[in-house]
Amino acid sequence: MIWNTLQRFNNLSKCFLLTLGIVFLAILLHVTSVSYMRKATLDKMEYLKSADSLMLNSADLLLPKPDPAFRTLKNQFSASQKLKDYYEDLGSTYYRNYYVFSTCSIVFVTLLAVAVFLVINAGWNNSPQLIKTFFLVSICISSFYFFLPSVFENRENFALNFKKARSFEQIQMNILAYASQPYAGNVDSLRKELAGNYHQIAENFDLLTIEINPDKLGGNPEEILKSLNSNYVK
């Protein structure tokens, strides 16, 4: 009896260590992917930041500070820049998450395929406890990474936020285009320009929240598990 208890404890310890090992692999892969994508995103965004710097220099030249009306235009330009940065950063975050979740999903779906092969080969009842543990942990982690990009709609939110950023960039372009015209500074045209810019800023600005779409799970989790169980238990 003592021997059976020790053997059972030994098996549970191995299963626990295997679970920890797979979870550690998931954390390591996740952190590595995040680090890589953060650096890659910063490198790519550097080109946009350089373009923003050139546009800011143009605004300094075309919108002289002493004139109150032009100073208001400059404030609109600066506000549009900050809002554009906000949406670009938010869009970059969604893009990084989509890449990280997709990468981890590919790795753990592959591990799940190996686990399924091992379980099918021996049958659920005849499979060692380690293989069962490997199979169940692989299901949990691969499902987590497989469904997250769709549930949090990373791809859609990435596109939406960069579309918002481009809208504020268009406002900046309109301001620079107006300041370049010979009639710039005319009271009526200036009032119309300021009002139009405020309207566009108000129309395009909103604080986006994370929307979770559980419908993207593709079915009832309990039914999915029952289906898996009926397919793999012999």
Side-chain angles (χ1 to χ4, degrees):
M1 182 177 178
I2 296 177
W3 172 252
N4 290 336
T5 303
L6 290 174
Q7 193 172 20
R8 191 178 298 112
F9 178 77
N10 185 44
N11 289 335
L12 289 175
S13 299
K14 289 179 180 178
C15 292
F16 179 72
L17 290 175
L18 177 62
T19 302
L20 283 182
I22 297 174
V23 171
F24 177 77
L25 174 63
I27 294 173
L28 181 63
L29 182 61
H30 188 103
V31 171
T32 302
S33 300
V34 168
S35 177
Y36 169 78
M37 278 308 297
R38 181 176 286 115
K39 184 179 184 305
T41 303
L42 288 175
D43 290 343
K44 297 302 180 185
M45 293 294 291
E46 190 63 32
Y47 296 104
L48 295 179
K49 299 302 180 185
S50 298
D52 289 342
S53 179
L54 293 173
M55 287 179 63
L56 185 58
N57 290 339
S58 299
D60 289 335
L61 294 172
L62 292 170
L63 304 172
K65 292 180 181 179
D67 191 316
F70 279 98
R71 193 159 62 242
T72 303
L73 273 179
K74 179 66 178 298
N75 289 338
Q76 289 182 335
F77 185 93
S78 300
S80 297
Q81 180 62 51
K82 290 184 181 299
L83 292 171
K84 184 172 74 170
D85 290 340
Y86 166 74
Y87 285 110
E88 284 180 348
D89 289 343
L90 200 56
S92 297
T93 300
Y94 281 117
Y95 176 72
R96 284 197 301 268
N97 289 343
Y98 181 76
Y99 175 88
V100 171
F101 294 155
S102 298
T103 301
C104 293
S105 174
I106 291 170
V107 172
F108 283 99
V109 165
T110 303
L111 289 178
L112 177 59
V114 174
V116 168
F117 173 78
L118 294 175
V119 170
I120 289 178
N121 225 18
W124 180 261
N125 293 329
N126 298 324
S127 296
Q129 197 65 38
L130 279 177
I131 292 180
K132 291 180 180 178
T133 301
F134 178 46
F135 174 73
L136 293 174
V137 175
S138 296
I139 282 182
C140 293
I141 297 180
S142 60
S143 298
F144 176 80
Y145 281 116
F146 181 79
F147 288 120
L148 272 185
S150 296
V151 173
F152 288 102
E153 299 185 332
N154 285 324
R155 181 185 292 181
E156 293 83 356
N157 282 312
F158 156 70
L160 176 61
N161 280 285
F162 270 92
K163 183 180 179 181
K164 288 280 188 181
R166 297 289 75 79
S167 297
F168 286 104
E169 186 176 69
Q170 187 59 52
I171 295 172
Q172 291 180 306
M173 291 296 187
N174 292 341
I175 292 173
L176 294 180
Y178 171 81
S180 302
Q181 299 299 324
Y183 55 77
N186 176 275
V187 175
D188 291 334
S189 68
L190 189 55
R191 285 178 178 174
K192 184 178 178 181
E193 178 70 17
L194 290 172
N197 292 336
Y198 279 128
H199 175 72
Q200 289 185 62
I201 290 173
E203 189 177 64
N204 286 286
F205 175 67
D206 56 8
L207 288 173
L208 297 181
T209 57
I210 296 177
E211 295 184 1
I212 298 177
N213 188 356
D215 294 337
K216 295 291 183 71
L217 285 171
N220 188 312
E222 185 177 351
E223 293 177 0
I224 294 173
L225 289 176
K226 284 181 180 178
S227 174
L228 287 170
N229 188 57
S230 63
N231 287 333
Y232 299 132
V233 174
K234 291 185 178 179

